[in-house]
Amino acid sequence: MKQMKVGGLMTDNVLSAVPATSFREVAKMLAEHDISGVPVVDDDDHVVGVVSESDLLARHELTVRDLMTTPAVTVHAEETVADAARLMVRRGVERLPVVDEEERLVGIVTRRDLLCVYLRPDAEIRRRIREDVLSDVMELPADAVDVHVLDGVVTLGGRLRRRSQALMLVGLAERVDGVVAVVDRLSFHEDDTPLTYPTRTPHDISW
């Protein structure tokens, strides 16, 4: 199942600063290009930090070396957009420098870039679930279950042979680009998932 990768969304013509860049130079860079932050790279283009408007407002040191936030939170170009979005939320950042296998800067992706994924039309989301998930991955007929999509919220209904298939379908649908949430209304003929028992401590055991 194909998922949109960060490399397909990132801006590859990315502005950057070096540790020796002055306060005035980086402030001018942000203002002229109407951006809120830039990655900081060393002589080998390895990302060593990020400097943002908030860094400039909080302190007035002379160079980026003293201003930047480090270590930088970065993402690889081959990672999925969904993973990048989760990383942004978890770390509370507005942008992610994109690096290659050698951790060298190749682009940048912002929250605004990632939001465009969630504007995918409902009909396209439905088609991808039916074709990519049901047919290609699970090898089931595309109409094996009812797939309804409204404003990115997917509702799955119908009856599958096994519970494991229903669980897999929900999990895969959640990973489709543009899906906001999945409502599970699936049923199944056979529960083939392992039974789970509560963990017992020595105090629970009757002697």
Side-chain angles (χ1 to χ4, degrees), residues 9 30 69 92 106 112 118 149 177:
L9 281 181
L30 298 184
T69 299
V106 293
R112 183 178 298 177
Y118 293 95
V149 186
D177 293 329

Side-chain angles (χ1 to χ4, degrees), residues 98-127:
V98 184
V99 296
D100 61 15
E101 296 82 0
E102 297 180 354
E103 304 299 321
R104 292 178 177 172
L105 181 67
V106 293
I108 196 162
V109 64
T110 67
R111 287 195 178 193
R112 183 178 298 177
D113 296 327
L114 300 185
L115 279 175
C116 73
V117 173
Y118 293 95
L119 300 179
R120 185 182 293 268
D122 290 341
E124 173 66 12
I125 294 173
R126 182 175 185 269
R127 184 187 68 80

